[in-house]
Amino acid sequence: MNPTDTTLTELRDAIASKSISAAEATQTYLNRIEAHDGGLHSYHEVYTERAMKQATAVDDGEVTGPLAGVPIAIKDLLCTDYGHTTCSSKMLANFQAPYTATAVQRLEDAGAVILGKTNMDEFAMGSSTENSANVTTRNPWDTDRVPGGSSGGSAAAIAADLCAASIGSDTGGSIRQPAALCGVVGMKPTYGRISRYGLIAFASSLDQIGPFTHTVADTALLLKVMMGHDPLDSTSASVPVPGDIDQVDEAPKNLRIGIAKEYMSDSNDPAVAAATQQAIDVYKDHGAQIVEVDLPHTEYGIPVYYIVATAEASSNLARFDGVHYGHRTDKAEDLIDLYCRSRAEGFGDEVKRRIMLGTYALSSGYYDAYYDRALKVRRLIANDFDTAFKDCDAILCPTTTAPAFKIGEKSDDPLSMYLNDVYTVNCNLAGNAGISLPGGTTVVDGKELPIGVQLLGPSFDESRLLKIARVYESATNYYTKRPQL
Ligand code: GLN
C-alpha cells in the first residue's frame, strides 16, 4: 500500500491492522514533502524528528486512539509548545508558544502525528497566501496560480498528498475557499464547536478551526476528535457532540435542499455555475426536494465582514507591541517610538491596512456609523439563515465565483481580493456550519483546475450536514482526482 495514496480513514485502518507501520507511513510523507514541497511551499516548518518519535510511539503501542499514526499538518497560527508559531508574520518569526492549542492537543491525544506547520496569509488576512511574509504557496494543480487563502498552505499540502489531512482556520472563508481552489474537502464547523484556545486570534467572534481532507468521512473523523466544549475557551459551546457524526453513509431522508438566488449570480464563472447545477441534479436524483430560499441581506456581507473583522483585528493585534509579544525594533528612542517602530517593522501591508480600517471603525464619532451599524446588519444576515433553515436542511451554492486565479493577479487590488469571499463570509457572520466539496474541474490555459461546491447548514447540526455532503460525494468521483506533480 502507498500511504500517501489513500484516505485518512484507510491509512488509519491500515496502521491499526499493522499492514503498514506508523513510522513507515510518516517517513513516506516526509520523503514526499522533501521531494515536492520545494516547488509548492506549503510547509513553513517540518518536525521530522518529533514526527518520527510520535510514529514510533504508536508502533510501540505507547499511543493509541482513533487517529493513531496518521500524519497531519497544521496551520501556522495554532500554538504548539514545540517549534515556532509565526502566523507567517515577521512579527512572530521567532515566537515559541509556551503551550499547545486544544485542537492540536486533542489530535495528538488521539494519536495523530504532527508533520509540521503550513504557510498562510499573514495573521490569516487574505485569500491567496500571497500575504505571507515568507513565501507564496503555489496551487498544486497549476503552480502559476494561488492555492487560495488564508489557509493556502494547509489546502495545498493535502491536495498534493503531503499529509493525510490538514487543519486550518476560517474567519471569512479561509478553509472553504482554498479547499475549493485546491480540490479538497474543507469544513468550517459552527462557531464555538472547536475550542479556539491556542488559535492566535484574528477576529474572535468569527474565527473557527476546521479540517481539510480528501473525503467527507475523513472530515467527520477529525471533527469527532476536535469538537466539544473546552473550559479554556469561554466561547466554546457546551453542546454535546453527536455520537453519529462519523456515520456519514446514513443517507438523510426527506431531504430539502435550498437554493438562494443571491448565490447564483450571472457573474459566476460558467464552469462554477455548471458545477452548482450538476450538484442540484445529484440531489434531485437522490429524491431531495429543491426549494427556493431568500437570503435578502447577502449583499451586505462583505462590507459588514470588513468592518467587524478589522475592528476585532485592530484590538487583537494590539498585543503585538514589541514588549508583550513579537518583533522588537533595535532603533527605538523612547517607549512610544519602540511601539511604533516595532509594529511598523513587524507587520506587512495588508495587516496594517486592516488595523487602520478597524481602528477607524471603532473610533469615537465613527463607532455608531460603522461598527454598531455593522453589528445590526450582521444580526439581519443571521436571521436570514434562521428563516431559510426552516424550509430546508442545507443551502447549496458555489464556494467561490471562479477557479484559482494567477499569482499577482489581484495582489494590487485589495477590493477584488476581498470579493473572493462573497459566498463564504456570511456563514461566519451568522456562525453556522459550511463545507466545500470537490465539484469537478475545468480546463483553463491548458491546465485542469478544481471547482468547489458549498453546502451551508444550520448551527450545531454538522452531523446532518456531513451526511448530506456524503450524498453528493458518493454520486460523484471528483474527490479521487489528484493534481499531477
Ligand atoms: N479572505 C478573508 C480575509 O481576508 C478571510 C480570511 C479568513 O477566513 N481568515 O479576511
Side-chain angles (χ1 to χ4, degrees):
M1 154 201 220
N2 178 357
T4 61
D5 197 17
T6 55
T7 69
L8 179 151
T9 308
E10 285 164 356
L11 180 59
R12 189 267 316 255
D13 293 346
I15 293 169
S17 67
K18 302 218 181 289
S19 52
I20 185 169
S21 70
E24 201 183 325
T26 302
Q27 189 61 57
T28 309
Y29 276 102
L30 291 168
N31 294 348
R32 203 172 151 84
I33 294 169
E34 184 78 30
H36 295 290
D37 205 43
L40 295 175
H41 305 294
S42 63
Y43 281 88
H44 175 57
E45 193 164 77
V46 177
Y47 303 126
T48 306
E49 256 175 55
R50 188 176 185 279
M52 287 309 294
K53 261 194 206 146
Q54 283 185 298
T56 308
V58 169
D59 291 333
D60 292 347
E62 289 160 23
V63 177
T64 54
L67 296 175
V70 174
I72 289 177
I74 59 176
K75 186 173 179 178
D76 198 10
L77 46 44
L78 289 162
C79 289
T80 54
D81 63 7
Y82 49 89
H84 296 92
T85 304
T86 78
C87 284
S88 290
S89 179
K90 265 196 219 156
M91 187 54 103
L92 289 176
N94 299 312
F95 179 60
Q96 289 176 283
Y99 61 91
T100 296
T102 298
V104 179
Q105 194 59 56
R106 288 187 182 179
L107 293 172
E108 294 200 25
D109 291 348
V113 169
I114 305 299
L115 287 173
K117 298 247 176 75
T118 55
N119 193 37
M120 54 185 276
D121 282 301
E122 184 178 2
F123 283 103
M125 298 173 185
S127 303
S128 67
T129 323
E130 290 164 296
N131 294 336
S132 166
N134 308 318
V135 65
T136 297
T137 299
R138 312 247 154 188
N139 190 314
W141 293 82
D142 177 355
T143 51
D144 290 337
R145 291 179 188 266
V146 304
S150 64
S151 316
S154 291
I158 175 71
D161 289 312
L162 305 183
C163 54
S166 57
I167 306 298
S169 66
D170 190 313
T171 305
S174 280
I175 293 175
R176 290 160 292 151
Q177 184 256 13
L181 303 194
C182 289
V184 295
V185 178
M187 181 156 186
K188 181 197 93 73
T190 309
Y191 179 79
R193 259 308 195 189
I194 296 178
S195 168
R196 291 184 297 110
Y197 180 73
L199 167 76
I200 297 180
F202 161 13
S204 310
S205 77
L206 300 160
D207 297 341
Q208 185 53 204
I209 294 170
F212 290 92
T213 62
H214 285 299
T215 68
V216 172
D218 289 355
T219 284
L221 181 57
L222 291 172
L223 289 188
K224 194 169 187 177
V225 168
M226 289 190 293
M227 283 187 351
H229 181 250
D230 175 14
L232 298 174
D233 170 7
S234 62
T235 64
S236 89
S238 307
V239 179
V241 179
D244 70 341
I245 187 153
D246 51 354
Q247 305 301 305
V248 297
D249 280 313
E250 284 170 9
K253 299 207 174 66
N254 306 321
L255 190 54
R256 295 162 310 162
I257 295 291
I259 305 295
K261 62 178 176 313
E262 292 83 359
Y263 284 73
M264 310 297 256
S265 159
D266 288 343
S267 55
N268 289 343
D269 184 283
V272 168
T276 312
Q277 186 54 51
Q278 197 209 13
I280 296 173
D281 294 340
V282 165
Y283 284 106
K284 270 191 196 153
D285 290 348
H286 173 77
Q289 196 188 333
I290 307 295
V291 291
E292 262 186 49
V293 293
D294 287 325
L295 297 168
H297 298 92
T298 299
E299 63 174 307
Y300 304 111
I302 290 285
V304 167
Y305 170 81
Y306 277 95
I307 291 171
V308 174
T310 59
E312 293 183 19
S314 71
S315 164
N316 274 325
L317 271 59
R319 64 175 64 105
F320 303 107
D321 58 5
V323 177
H324 294 91
Y325 289 99
H327 168 79
R328 182 181 297 179
T329 185
D330 52 15
K331 299 186 196 68
E333 285 168 12
D334 55 34
L335 184 63
I336 300 295
D337 195 41
L338 176 94
Y339 291 148
C340 293
R341 281 181 194 265
S342 297
R343 287 168 70 81
E345 291 167 9
F347 288 135
D349 288 349
E350 183 59 29
V351 175
K352 287 177 187 161
R353 183 180 295 121
R354 307 272 179 123
I355 292 172
M356 285 189 279
L357 282 170
T359 305
Y360 183 79
L362 289 177
S363 58
S364 161
Y366 297 101
Y367 181 98
D368 291 340
Y370 292 108
Y371 185 67
D372 201 42
R373 184 177 292 190
L375 290 187
K376 288 178 183 157
V377 182
R378 179 180 187 176
R379 165 52 53 198
L380 297 176
I381 290 170
N383 290 350
D384 282 356
F385 279 109
D386 289 347
T387 309
F389 289 133
K390 287 189 181 127
D391 294 328
C392 68
D393 302 293
I395 296 165
L396 170 64
C397 58
T399 313
T400 59
T401 57
F405 50 93
K406 286 241 162 92
I407 290 173
E409 194 177 318
K410 297 183 195 235
S411 42
D412 295 331
D413 183 358
L415 199 57
S416 94
M417 191 68 90
Y418 295 173
L419 287 172
N420 263 287
D421 305 314
V422 290
Y423 295 151
T424 51
V425 286
N426 287 3
C427 170
N428 302 77
L429 290 166
N432 57 296
I435 186 167
S436 180
L437 301 164
T441 55
T442 182
V443 176
V444 184
D445 299 340
K447 297 261 170 78
E448 225 184 331
L449 296 179
I451 286 174
V453 165
Q454 185 174 218
L455 289 165
L456 305 173
S459 294
F460 299 110
D461 202 359
E462 289 83 0
S463 185
R464 188 161 166 86
L465 187 61
L466 289 164
K467 292 176 179 58
I468 298 171
R470 175 65 188 143
V471 168
Y472 172 74
E473 182 187 62
S474 60
T476 60
N477 67 348
Y478 299 138
Y479 68 96
T480 60
K481 287 197 169 221
R482 295 288 191 279
Q484 302 286 325
L485 296 189

